Amino acid sequence: MYYLAEHMSPVGLLQLVTNQDNELVDLCIDGQKYKWDSLGLCSMMREGTPASAAASEWIDRYFAGENPSISELRLAPMGSEFRQGVWNLLREIPYGEVVTYGYIAGEMAKKMRKERMSSQAVGGAVGHNPISIIIPCHRVVGANGSLTGYGGGIHIKVKLLELEGVDMSRFFVPKKGTAL
């Protein structure tokens, strides 16, 4: 059984999906490219849980300019072992900092004991992060400074990075891409 709660935020309506173990499995921005319904979570109750209440509080604190700890929440994103590895690396990106897809690929290659890892494979995992904002996929940018790869929309990625105090002068919005 899954439970759906909604929370209004400065970036729009957020949908919070929790499981019967009281863990947050999905957080998506209204209109986001990849949403929980694509995961096949067909049996949902429309009610909040302690996990969705904790996530809502975390989100409010985040948008108030605080840096709440991810460890305060019980997160259980669903995905392959590879995607879980990428999402764990995303959790390590400090508030107000960015890394490149290439950096994440290098770290995944080390973890998997491989010589190298495809940045495109990493980009796919980052793009399918089911708990956006909290698992900070918005902190990943292209090596050339391109602000690509945010399923919630580039304008929201920019807003989140600005909220965190990231110097945006070195970044640009691409003219075309997969997450515009």
Side-chain angles (χ1 to χ4, degrees), residues 5-176:
E6 295 181 332
H7 184 79
M8 188 51 75
S9 79
V11 295
L13 184 66
L14 304 178
Q15 297 169 323
L16 309 165
V17 179
T18 56
N19 63 19
Q20 60 194 16
D21 295 324
N22 198 36
E23 300 165 314
L24 184 68
V25 298
D26 197 90
L27 181 160
C28 69
I29 302 163
D30 194 32
Q32 182 172 314
K33 186 172 183 178
Y34 303 109
K35 293 179 65 163
W36 55 264
D37 55 4
S38 66
L39 298 175
L41 305 178
C42 55
S43 177
M44 282 204 219
M45 303 285 294
R46 284 184 126 359
E47 58 186 69
T49 64
S52 59
S56 292
E57 180 183 331
W58 189 99
I59 291 161
D60 289 343
R61 290 175 50 213
Y62 174 81
F63 282 109
E66 295 180 32
N67 179 15
S69 173
I70 294 174
S71 66
E72 298 173 14
L73 301 174
R74 296 186 57 196
L75 305 179
M78 295 182 279
S80 68
E81 184 178 340
F82 175 76
R83 286 184 176 181
Q84 294 287 342
V86 170
W87 301 334
N88 285 333
L89 288 172
L90 295 178
R91 295 178 197 207
E92 297 173 10
I93 305 169
Y95 180 93
E97 296 184 25
V98 297
V99 300
T100 65
Y101 292 95
Y103 172 81
I104 298 288
E107 292 301 303
M108 278 302 292
K110 287 179 201 171
K111 285 184 182 263
M112 298 176 75
R113 295 187 173 96
K114 293 187 174 193
E115 230 176 273
R116 68 179 82 111
M117 175 67 54
S118 162
S119 293
Q120 287 80 13
V122 166
V126 171
H128 284 84
N129 168 21
I131 305 179
S132 61
I133 302 173
I134 294 173
I135 297 178
C137 53
H138 60 276
R139 296 179 188 154
V140 183
V141 299
N144 64 354
S146 175
L147 294 173
T148 62
Y150 197 68
I154 296 292
H155 66 289
I156 292 177
K157 182 172 188 159
V158 168
K159 187 170 188 164
L160 297 173
L161 292 174
E162 288 175 341
L163 173 72
E164 294 183 17
V166 172
D167 176 7
M168 300 300 289
S169 65
R170 61 185 184 199
F171 302 116
F172 68 94
V173 174
K175 299 285 185 222
K176 59 182 177 176

